[in-house]
Amino acid sequence: MSGYDALVVGAGYAGAVAARRLAEDGGKRVLVLERRPHVGGNAYDCPDDAGVLIHKYGPHIFHTNDRRVFDYLSRFTKWRRYQHCVIANLPRDNPEAVPAGKKTDGRFFFPVPFNLDSMKAAFGEKEGQRLGRKLLDAYPAQSQVTILELRQNPDAEIAAIADYVYEHVFVHYTMKQWGQTPEEIDPATTARVPVRLSNDPRYFMDAYQGMPLEGYTPLFKAMLDHPNITVELGRDARERLEPADGVIKLDGELFHGPVIYTGQADELFGFRFGPLPYRTLDFGFETLPVDCFQARGTVNYTVDEPYTRITEFKHLTGQVLPGVTTIMKEYSRSYTGMDGEIPYYAVINPENNALYAEYKAMADRYPNLHLLGRLAEYKYYNMDAITAKALELTDRFI
């Protein structure tokens, strides 16, 4: 290890950005150890057997308001303009209402987050317009309003809109995503669910939105392509990294340079205090002999069906491939730690936060160890947020 000045564990966003900064701006010789056989972490994309470019670990849509993040990533990719729009697909519980959009077999669709067009799809054109005008009159200076605000409104019709959105957009979807009952769902989270006071169908409102023109994997390969960076794929750091008594050994030798670790904190320390709970995802890929399967890249099933959403990748990537498309159904369940499972989402609550704090306190005993990322910090990060965090961390070494 005398040939390296820094060690990075993981080649996803956190690890790749950190490695490039340390190598390029810090002049350090960096070793990157990645357990999987590819770079990119969960953002990895690749062609499937039909030639459709898929996101193997679920859809990733880039969006940010952070100019530094956008400019930094733009060094390694050109962008395809893409504005992400999500629609909900659910059974109609009011057969008398006439939907504004497409309806098949008693089902209907509306934009998510719930907006003025959603109102017309849910309640019919005439009634939806009337309720929409009532909302605009009640909240003339706001671009969106929360369920809590609607429920606190003295007008019974406006308060009822909050109940509709809770039932048809939020609660069943959240139960599937997190394996919780309505009673277990944090009321503060429910209160923040928005209703948009416009017809804007975009899921994100960030200043910078798009998809890497050639895909995420080429972006990561370009970022890690530097003479000071060595990437070893298929290398499990657990078998080589030994933290003990305040010092870190790699392959049995003391390593004194910065170690940026982006894996599970509990795994790094042998699950000494017990495993941290996560949610994992199962994906069902289907290749179909049609140009297009659904109207948008992501369709959420907010009321029924065992899966949470269906993604059709050609909408996201802009790929032109006539006569074939690939869709992906997404199922959420508890992470068990079995081989092949991937922990996706930390289950945030006071008990789990206290457990993580024990691992964080142990990590703090190692002056050159830095925990970075969703797994290492036991919190949720969007792609832009973890890029920003990696830039901020590496500022300290430059």
Side-chain angles (χ1 to χ4, degrees):
M1 289 309 303
S2 59
Y4 297 103
D5 306 306
L7 171 66
V8 174
V9 177
Y13 266 101
V17 172
R20 181 70 183 217
R21 291 281 332 276
L22 293 173
E24 183 175 47
D25 301 326
K28 297 184 183 297
R29 297 159 297 175
V30 184
L31 174 64
V32 178
L33 299 179
E34 169 54 55
R35 178 185 298 176
R36 302 185 211 185
H38 57 74
V39 299
N42 290 342
Y44 171 72
D45 54 13
C46 62
D48 65 6
D49 291 341
V52 179
L53 183 61
I54 62 170
H55 296 182
K56 187 173 179 180
Y57 305 103
H60 285 71
I61 295 92
F62 181 77
H63 58 98
T64 189
N65 285 315
D66 190 324
R67 183 58 188 261
R68 184 189 186 193
V69 166
F70 178 72
D71 286 346
Y72 191 79
L73 296 179
S74 295
R75 295 181 51 206
F76 309 106
T77 185
K78 295 181 178 179
W79 299 95
R80 169 180 176 259
R81 184 172 180 81
Y82 176 74
Q83 304 283 307
H84 193 49
C85 297
V86 176
I87 56 176
N89 180 324
L90 62 168
R92 177 168 293 286
D93 55 6
N94 179 11
E96 301 301 321
V98 179
K102 180 180 177 183
K103 181 179 80 169
T104 58
D105 300 328
R107 303 188 71 85
F108 73 113
F109 305 80
F110 58 64
V112 176
F114 200 87
N115 67 8
L116 297 182
D117 282 338
S118 308
M119 198 87 66
K120 290 183 285 186
F123 301 109
E125 188 78 23
K126 184 176 179 179
E127 181 68 0
Q129 285 186 342
R130 184 184 72 82
L131 291 172
R133 286 194 298 269
K134 177 172 275 196
L135 280 182
L136 293 173
D137 290 341
Y139 304 97
Q142 295 177 228
S143 60
Q144 66 181 32
V145 61
T146 66
I147 280 185
L148 178 61
E149 291 174 283
L150 293 176
R151 282 179 167 164
Q152 291 175 338
N153 194 294
D155 187 302
E157 285 189 325
I158 290 179
I161 293 171
D163 294 334
Y164 185 91
V165 174
Y166 174 81
E167 180 69 23
H168 292 80
V169 177
F170 177 76
V171 67
H172 300 287
Y173 189 90
T174 302
M175 288 165 62
K176 287 190 289 183
Q177 182 73 16
W178 293 101
Q180 295 178 316
T181 66
E183 294 74 24
E184 293 171 324
I185 295 170
D186 184 359
T189 302
T190 304
R192 292 191 296 269
V193 174
V195 172
R196 296 250 175 93
L197 302 180
S198 72
N199 302 105
D200 192 333
R202 294 178 301 163
Y203 195 78
F204 305 115
M205 296 297 177
D206 301 69
Y208 308 100
Q209 301 186 41
M211 301 291 287
L213 186 61
E214 303 298 329
Y216 284 101
T217 301
L219 182 160
F220 282 95
K221 288 183 176 179
M223 194 184 305
L224 291 165
D225 183 12
H226 189 278
N228 281 353
I229 298 176
T230 299
V231 179
E232 296 187 11
L233 300 177
R235 294 299 186 100
D236 193 336
R238 292 179 305 172
E239 301 170 358
R240 303 174 61 181
L241 199 63
E242 183 186 351
D245 301 322
V247 297
I248 293 176
K249 291 183 180 179
L250 187 67
D251 298 333
E253 298 181 16
L254 289 177
F255 188 76
H256 300 288
V259 176
I260 296 178
Y261 182 85
T262 71
Q264 292 173 249
D266 52 357
E267 185 179 65
L268 175 62
F269 295 108
F271 305 101
R272 181 173 303 184
F273 308 113
L276 286 162
Y278 289 90
R279 297 291 287 178
T280 189
L281 299 171
D282 294 324
F283 302 115
F285 290 89
E286 300 176 25
T287 299
L288 307 171
V290 296
D291 289 338
C292 179
F293 172 77
Q294 61 190 26
R296 295 287 185 268
T298 298
V299 177
N300 289 356
Y301 288 77
T302 57
V303 172
D304 59 351
E305 303 296 350
Y307 43 85
T308 55
R309 58 183 177 176
I310 296 179
T311 297
E312 185 174 14
F313 296 101
K314 286 169 65 176
H315 289 285
L316 276 57
T317 64
Q319 185 180 21
V320 177
L321 197 63
V324 65
T325 192
T326 297
I327 65 171
M328 184 195 73
K329 296 177 180 177
E330 191 169 316
Y331 304 81
S332 178
R333 62 177 174 84
S334 294
Y335 173 73
T336 68
M338 294 180 63
D339 287 346
E341 280 188 347
I342 297 172
Y344 283 92
Y345 303 110
V347 181
I348 303 297
N349 60 40
E351 180 182 358
N352 295 344
N353 289 347
L355 177 57
Y356 173 75
E358 294 190 68
Y359 286 111
K360 179 62 168 64
M362 179 164 286
D364 289 342
R365 300 174 191 170
Y366 298 82
N368 61 330
L369 175 63
H370 307 276
L371 303 181
L372 178 67
R374 280 190 184 191
L375 301 181
E377 298 180 67
Y378 201 68
K379 63 175 62 176
Y380 181 83
Y381 282 111
N382 283 326
M383 292 183 288
D384 66 321
I386 195 53
T387 299
K389 192 75 183 292
L391 292 173
E392 292 167 7
L393 173 61
T394 51
D395 283 342
R396 294 160 52 181
F397 303 109
I398 296 168

